[in-house]
Amino acid sequence: KIQNSSRMQAAESKPSLDTSTLRDISSLLSKGECYCLNEKSSHPHTNLFIGDNRLGLMSDADEQLMIHLQFNETVKVHSLTFLGFEGTGGGVDIERSPRIVKVFVNRPSMGFSDAEDVIPTEEFELTEEEIGSPGGVEKVVRFVKFQRVTSLSVFVEENFGGEESALGGLKIHGVPVAGTNMSDFKKC
């Protein structure tokens, strides 16, 4: 009976993460394999990771953005922090800030039609107060679904009414899974 009880407890336990080891894992992105659909050439996705929310990422034709982030090793993701785009007046440009954001795990070739047809791994509805705060808004993901992540596709579906969307920065918090540097693998 004791063995059965132990097995049941182990089966019921969910993966957990020692949050003291969490860090920004943006440095683990394989920059050459990351891209964004519908980005304005003057405000590309690479601006999301430089730490200046006045530069940021901006959409081109409409408010939707599809940001694809490829890691160079397998990671566990704990949360994402979205930073508002600082407008010319000095505050966050709320109207162009993301309101509905969908996140997909390990879907390397996501397009806009896929994002509307596929159930997201995680979906966030950001508020004006959250995206307007100086440190941005950290959204914790359902950790059990973000255990062995090699890529994230972040779909900005809607903003707060602007013609285009703008995001000042993006931080990905998590930890690497030991010993899985994807750049060590050769393509067939």
Side-chain angles (χ1 to χ4, degrees):
K1 283 187 176 182
I2 293 175
Q3 281 183 330
N4 258 351
S5 176
S6 300
R7 280 190 216 148
M8 285 179 30
Q9 284 177 342
E12 290 174 6
S13 70
K14 295 180 180 175
S16 63
L17 178 66
D18 177 3
T19 55
S20 67
T21 62
L22 283 180
R23 63 183 175 104
D24 182 356
I25 55 174
S26 302
S27 63
L28 300 178
L29 290 172
S30 181
K31 305 272 193 260
E33 295 181 54
C34 297
Y35 60 88
C36 181
L37 301 178
N38 193 35
E39 72 180 8
K40 189 172 277 191
S41 60
S42 62
H43 289 83
H45 70 280
T46 52
N47 287 355
L48 291 174
F49 306 104
I50 61 175
D52 187 345
N53 64 347
R54 294 171 298 176
L55 299 175
L57 166 66
M58 196 176 294
S59 65
D60 191 27
D62 59 23
E63 80 278 9
Q64 293 188 335
L65 287 164
M66 176 62 73
I67 308 161
H68 179 73
L69 304 170
Q70 183 73 42
F71 292 95
N72 60 20
E73 61 184 278
T74 304
V75 297
K76 294 179 181 183
V77 176
H78 173 267
S79 59
L80 302 169
T81 298
F82 300 93
L83 299 157
F85 182 82
E86 190 175 315
T88 54
V92 170
D93 185 345
I94 297 295
E95 189 175 85
R96 294 191 289 181
S97 295
R99 188 176 76 80
I100 305 288
V101 179
K102 296 179 179 179
V103 183
F104 302 88
V105 171
N106 299 337
R107 302 202 48 107
S109 301
M110 287 288 293
F112 291 110
S113 60
D114 298 320
E116 293 172 5
D117 295 340
V118 176
I119 296 171
T121 311
E122 194 74 71
E123 184 172 351
F124 303 114
E125 184 167 352
L126 308 179
T127 66
E128 291 182 23
E129 293 78 25
E130 289 174 328
I131 197 69
S133 68
V137 55
E138 181 178 7
K139 292 293 190 177
V140 177
V141 299
R142 289 175 290 178
F143 187 62
V144 69
K145 297 197 176 234
F146 288 78
Q147 289 293 298
R148 301 197 54 76
V149 177
T150 57
S151 70
L152 291 175
S153 296
V154 180
F155 176 48
V156 175
E157 185 172 33
E158 292 179 20
N159 62 23
F160 288 96
E163 300 251 338
E164 67 243 338
S165 290
L167 185 60
L170 178 64
K171 293 182 181 173
I172 307 160
H173 308 281
V175 293
V177 174
T180 56
N181 188 334
M182 298 308 281
S183 61
D184 292 341
F185 292 101
K186 305 256 189 263
K187 291 191 176 191
C188 297

